[in-house]
Amino acid sequence: MTEVKISIRQARPNEAERIAEFIIMAMTEECCLHFCGPHHDINDFRSVMTSLVARDDTQYSYLNTLVADDGGSVIGICVSYDGALLHQLRQPFIDTALKEWNMDHSSIPDETQPGELYLDSLAVDAAYRGRGIAKLLLQASIQKSKQMNLPSTGLLVDVGNPRAEVLYNKVGFKYAGTNSWGGHEMKHLVFKN
């Protein structure tokens, strides 16, 4: 078997549909359905997410996304943004959810704060897991945080996902408190730059 060279690079607008699939994977289908409500399905969520990724002014924008590329295909993603911009970047999601699903998400609690590059979504294609790709994406995101002169890089991990927490700890993320998101109890982990 030939070794595949993985590169981490900035996402492109024409990759919005693929990136949306990874965001759904990171969020879990259950959580996505929570956001779009009982009268919509995962395809409705996927359509909205694809449109948000293709924009340049949303938290899920391709501009906020690093991708792992195996030389022709996106095989993983990490969406991250400056926590100080959370409300501004989240507003397009709130507006679109109200318009498309009649769901008001204007009271979602903040999952990040100023001074932190927030890692919103991290996912790797199942066929490529176990090869260190998530670690590469995390390390590239920490570098992005340093280039942005932010003092820390943070993320939320579901308390029911200890395997992911082990990876984050290996990269250098430390426990910083608890939070709740999408109806799940979460741990806030931080990497200090």
Side-chain angles (χ1 to χ4, degrees), residues 38-164:
H39 305 295
H40 298 279
D41 62 23
I42 198 65
N43 291 321
D44 297 323
F45 188 89
R46 182 179 295 106
S47 175
V48 163
M49 190 55 62
T50 299
S51 71
L52 292 172
V53 172
R55 292 173 59 165
D56 62 8
D57 63 344
T58 77
Q59 67 194 98
Y60 302 109
S61 172
Y62 69 93
L63 292 174
N64 294 327
T65 306
L66 295 175
V67 300
D69 185 317
D70 71 350
S73 300
V74 173
I75 58 168
I77 60 112
C78 187
V79 178
S80 63
Y81 49 86
D82 184 341
L85 302 176
L86 173 64
H87 295 148
Q88 172 188 332
L89 293 172
R90 182 190 278 164
Q91 195 59 50
F93 173 80
I94 292 170
D95 296 343
T96 305
L98 194 57
K99 179 183 171 202
E100 297 295 325
W101 307 321
N102 198 31
M103 296 289 290
D104 182 2
H105 293 301
S106 58
S107 62
I108 296 174
D110 292 353
E111 63 259 38
T112 185
Q113 64 275 326
E116 174 177 88
L117 178 74
Y118 180 64
L119 304 186
D120 185 288
S121 304
L122 173 69
V124 173
D125 187 300
Y128 289 84
R129 290 183 190 151
R131 299 184 192 184
I133 296 167
K135 184 177 180 181
L136 290 173
L137 285 162
L138 288 167
Q139 291 168 333
S141 297
I142 290 166
Q143 282 306 116
K144 175 181 171 182
S145 176
K146 290 176 181 178
Q147 291 168 353
M148 294 170 70
N149 294 316
L150 292 171
S152 66
T153 306
L155 56 85
L156 294 181
V157 61
D158 194 307
V159 295
N161 192 355
R163 190 168 171 213

Side-chain angles (χ1 to χ4, degrees), residues 25-47:
M25 187 185 307
M27 290 176 73
T28 76
E29 193 168 315
E30 172 194 359
C31 188
C32 297
L33 293 174
H34 165 79
F35 281 113
C36 65
H39 305 295
H40 298 279
D41 62 23
I42 198 65
N43 291 321
D44 297 323
F45 188 89
R46 182 179 295 106
S47 175

